[in-house]
Amino acid sequence: LVDGEPAAVLRFRDAPRPDGRPFVSHLRPAHGLSRVMLVSGDRGSEVRWLAEQVGIDEVHAGIQPEGKLRIVEAATAEAPTVFVGDGINDAPALAAATVGIAMGAASDVTSEAAGAVVMDSSLERVDELFHIGRRLRNVALQSAVGGMAARLLGKGIAAAGQ
């Protein structure tokens, strides 16, 4: 109030990342994630607004690090989880998730707690990590199966030659 009159009403919001909605909508069909939630220590109204902008239905706002840890532990008890965090307050949840991904200029503590660190703050890089991980898993599986098949073939040849 200035001289008893309202002077201005200001409201600041974090803008959603431009790649936020495409990333979230891509998670279920491309990577098989059955549940996507936003867990934040920020105010409820702001977190709900941001979640709405990017297409996330399940929102946990005003959550302290211990609360994030409890949420991730409960979700991990039900199914494998991926937790993406960018701050030191995310370290306990990153460590508790099946896969913890630290994003951006993560602190040493956050980087140590995470299973992977994406140096860029882009969700596109997180998606690339998912795709690379799937490809590496397939290559490892093919190598293991190929090695076992070659071993069995070698044993069969050796047995036939005796």
Side-chain angles (χ1 to χ4, degrees):
L1 294 177
V2 175
D3 295 328
E5 297 291 321
V9 175
L10 300 174
R11 183 175 186 135
F12 297 98
R13 285 195 157 138
D14 288 334
R17 298 171 189 259
D19 54 351
R21 184 171 277 281
F23 175 75
V24 170
S25 63
H26 175 77
L27 288 174
R28 284 184 178 99
H31 302 296
L33 274 72
S34 60
R35 183 177 178 194
V36 178
M37 66 177 89
L38 178 57
V39 182
S40 174
D42 294 337
R43 289 183 313 177
S45 61
E46 300 304 314
V47 175
R48 284 188 295 278
W49 178 83
L50 184 62
E52 184 179 302
Q53 300 305 304
V54 298
I56 297 174
D57 297 326
E58 188 173 348
V59 178
H60 302 272
I63 307 296
Q64 298 300 314
E66 307 82 37
K68 290 180 182 182
L69 175 60
R70 283 192 299 276
I71 290 169
V72 170
E73 287 175 337
T76 303
E78 295 174 15
T81 57
V82 176
F83 185 88
V84 180
D86 63 357
I88 194 165
N89 60 342
D90 295 324
L94 286 165
T98 307
V99 177
I101 302 172
M103 229 175 104
S107 72
D108 289 344
V109 171
T110 306
S111 296
E112 287 293 322
V117 178
V118 176
M119 299 304 289
D120 192 351
S121 288
S122 167
L123 292 173
E124 187 175 316
R125 299 293 174 255
V126 174
D127 185 53
E128 287 176 12
L129 178 65
F130 287 151
H131 287 282
I132 290 168
R134 176 179 289 141
R135 178 70 182 131
L136 287 173
R137 182 179 176 272
N138 289 341
V139 167
L141 184 60
Q142 290 168 1
S143 295
V145 170
M148 286 187 282
R151 184 174 176 199
L152 288 174
L153 180 63
K155 283 184 174 187
I157 291 171
Q162 286 186 354

